[in-house]
Amino acid sequence: MNHRLLQDLDHSPGSVGDVLRRIRSVDAMSRSTLARTTGLAPSTVSLRVDVLIGMGLVHEVGNEDSRGGRRARRLRLDGSAGFVAAVDLGANHVRIVLSDLAGAVLVDTDTITDGDVSATERHRLPMSDGPAVAVAALWARLVQLADDHHLTMDSFRGVAIGVPAPIAHPSGRIVTPSFQPTWHDADLPGLFAAHTDAPVLVENDANLIAIAERPERTEPGDADEDQLLAVKLGTRIGCGIIASGRLHRGVGGAAGEVSHTAVDGIAMIGCTCGVPNCLESVASGGAIAARLRQAGYAAETPADLLALGAQGDPVVTDAIRAAGAQIGQVLAGMVNFFNPREVVLAGSMSASMPLVAAIRAELYQRCLPIVADDLEVRASRNPQDAGVRGATILIRDEVLAPARIDEVVREDAQRPVAVERPVAVEVGVVA
């Protein structure tokens, strides 16, 4: 099954979908501004806007600054026309965030407290029972979450799921996932089709972080300057690429799989990639923890590593710095090749100062001066939420894609209109 995104398709300039795209991209947009920027006749623009208002996607608010004459009312996306879901799926947790079409968060399972259910149980899915069972459980949880917060599933518009594994594009199948090897070739969009007709997108979690960290632009041409690498540092390592303002997946979806590059060092954890001593098996949070356990430390999770690192133990600090140097060496090759403006560090291990300092040092030492001079290495704006923010952006862009909106408009136009026959009323008879 081909799950090519409609947001990636070309759209017709001046169509209803294109008008919505322009309204979404600029905070203060009026009918008169649309007429000037699209070259459409004001009457045509009004027809397009009226269709969007009728679909519940746009509403008019306030007034635009006057250029002489009557002030025009501003057009804005109406988020109440439906809701979307973003899912952060891992080996031992699941986080679900429901948002309206304008991106406002309605529900976040990370903020829900339930005295009868532990946080561990609330954030767990039956992953080991296979993808079909897990998807059914995830769908049931999503439906229950919506019902608990008075959201009707008739208003559900789609879901994007972040997974810590390579995702084949455009099929959405999971490929050699280290977090759950039995999920290889799992078709989550196909499994969700048994529960919903709404769009279901599956994306690598590092790619979603890259989408979330992409600068917000109001002018389309500005996005050409956005070149970014987003590196997820956690139990595993991932990387997402923004090229000219757009997510770069490569031919099959494997772009950015930096973690499976062979490095000098000894693998401490297994990896499904088959590459001996790959970066993930040598320098990821999981590998650092395994190395420290071998040295007698109680280290299981990235949180344990952060706590140990904060104590200033030289053995722990040296292990973290060595991993950071190996990560930086691999990233330097990518940075020299790609010449991005930013390298963004996210994930739980991005809070480790020794790790981040070692990565930065390697990048600025090993990158060409012409590359390093324009390079900013920074932490994620909000590392805990970057994945779900990126998933929300991805599914909103798909649901509101110009090609999808135009398709809905065409289907509505072709739908036969029921004509109500007039009732004959005889004189002197009350109908």
Side-chain angles (χ1 to χ4, degrees):
M1 184 183 297
N2 192 311
H3 293 275
R4 185 180 182 186
L5 302 184
L6 292 187
Q7 61 186 270
D8 292 338
L9 300 182
D10 293 333
H11 58 271
S12 302
S15 68
V16 174
D18 182 54
V19 168
L20 178 62
R21 179 187 66 83
R22 292 170 184 270
I23 292 171
R24 290 183 64 203
S25 66
V26 180
D27 182 54
M29 177 71 77
S30 66
R31 296 178 191 235
S32 58
T33 304
L34 282 168
R36 287 195 302 271
T37 57
T38 62
L40 297 174
S43 58
T44 302
V45 167
S46 287
L47 288 173
R48 302 281 193 270
V49 171
D50 288 344
V51 169
L52 291 169
I53 292 174
M55 296 171 71
L57 293 173
V58 167
H59 65 281
E60 292 180 300
V61 295
N63 292 307
E64 197 177 42
D65 292 339
S66 176
R67 294 171 178 261
R70 188 173 63 181
R71 288 191 294 178
R73 289 171 62 79
R74 297 195 305 272
L75 299 165
R76 283 187 178 162
L77 179 68
D78 192 336
S80 64
F83 73 94
V84 295
V87 177
D88 178 18
L89 190 63
N92 300 304
H93 76 277
V94 62
R95 179 182 179 187
I96 304 173
V97 174
L98 305 184
S99 306
D100 68 16
L101 292 188
V105 174
L106 304 174
V107 188
D108 183 347
T109 54
D110 267 13
T111 64
I112 296 174
T113 57
D114 186 342
D116 297 328
V117 181
S118 69
T120 301
E121 289 301 319
R122 189 168 62 250
H123 294 158
R124 178 175 291 168
L125 279 180
M127 303 290 287
S128 59
D129 292 337
V133 173
V135 164
L138 177 57
W139 178 253
R141 191 169 301 182
L142 196 159
V143 171
Q144 186 63 56
L145 193 63
D147 184 61
D148 289 344
H149 292 81
H150 312 293
L151 298 170
T152 170
M153 292 307 292
D154 289 341
S155 299
F156 175 67
R157 299 292 178 255
V159 57
I161 304 167
V163 179
I167 304 298
H169 185 73
S171 69
R173 291 180 179 271
I174 299 175
V175 181
T176 59
S178 299
F179 80 103
Q180 200 67 242
T182 59
W183 280 46
H184 173 66
D185 207 34
D187 177 13
L188 299 194
L191 293 172
F192 267 98
H195 306 283
T196 179
D197 293 329
V200 176
L201 309 181
V202 181
E203 188 56 82
N204 172 265
D205 56 355
N207 283 351
L208 294 178
I209 293 172
I211 291 173
E213 296 295 335
R214 179 177 55 191
E216 294 183 4
R217 302 291 189 182
T218 58
E219 295 297 331
D222 293 344
D224 293 339
E225 301 179 5
D226 297 336
Q227 320 288 342
L228 177 150
L229 294 180
V231 184
K232 183 181 179 184
L233 304 169
T235 302
R236 302 283 176 169
I237 300 173
C239 180
I241 304 171
I242 297 294
S244 298
R246 297 173 65 87
L247 179 65
H248 177 69
R249 296 184 178 88
V251 174
E257 286 298 330
V258 61
S259 59
H260 304 302
T261 302
V263 297
D264 291 333
I266 299 174
M268 299 303 299
I269 59 174
C271 184
T272 57
C273 71
V275 176
N277 302 324
C278 72
L279 181 66
E280 187 167 282
S281 67
V282 173
S284 64
I288 299 171
R291 186 168 286 110
L292 290 176
R293 286 196 302 273
Q294 198 175 71
Y297 291 82
E300 296 292 339
T301 67
D304 296 335
L305 294 179
L306 294 176
L308 289 170
Q311 296 171 10
D313 185 305
V315 174
V316 174
T317 301
D318 287 349
I320 293 175
R321 283 177 176 163
Q326 289 168 317
I327 294 170
Q329 290 169 20
V330 173
L331 287 179
M334 289 188 66
V335 171
N336 274 328
F337 174 78
F338 182 50
N339 190 197
R341 184 175 298 278
E342 294 180 296
V343 172
V344 181
L345 305 178
S348 54
M349 289 300 297
S350 67
S352 169
M353 295 305 296
L355 185 74
V356 171
I359 293 173
R360 288 175 59 91
E362 289 294 328
L363 285 175
Y364 286 117
Q365 177 182 343
R366 292 175 178 270
C367 289
L368 295 171
I370 193 174
V371 173
D373 286 349
D374 294 322
L375 179 66
E376 179 183 1
V377 182
R378 65 172 176 85
S380 167
R381 299 185 185 96
N382 195 333
Q384 300 304 317
D385 295 334
V388 291
R389 282 192 293 114
T392 300
I393 293 169
L394 183 68
I395 190 59
R396 286 177 60 232
D397 285 349
E398 178 64 13
V399 169
L400 299 173
R404 185 176 297 278
I405 299 301
D406 291 340
E407 182 179 309
V408 172
V409 171
R410 284 193 299 270
E411 290 175 353
D412 286 346
Q414 295 170 0
R415 189 173 292 118
V417 178
V419 179
E420 186 175 339
R421 298 179 60 184
V423 178
V425 181
E426 294 183 4
V427 177
V429 178
V430 179

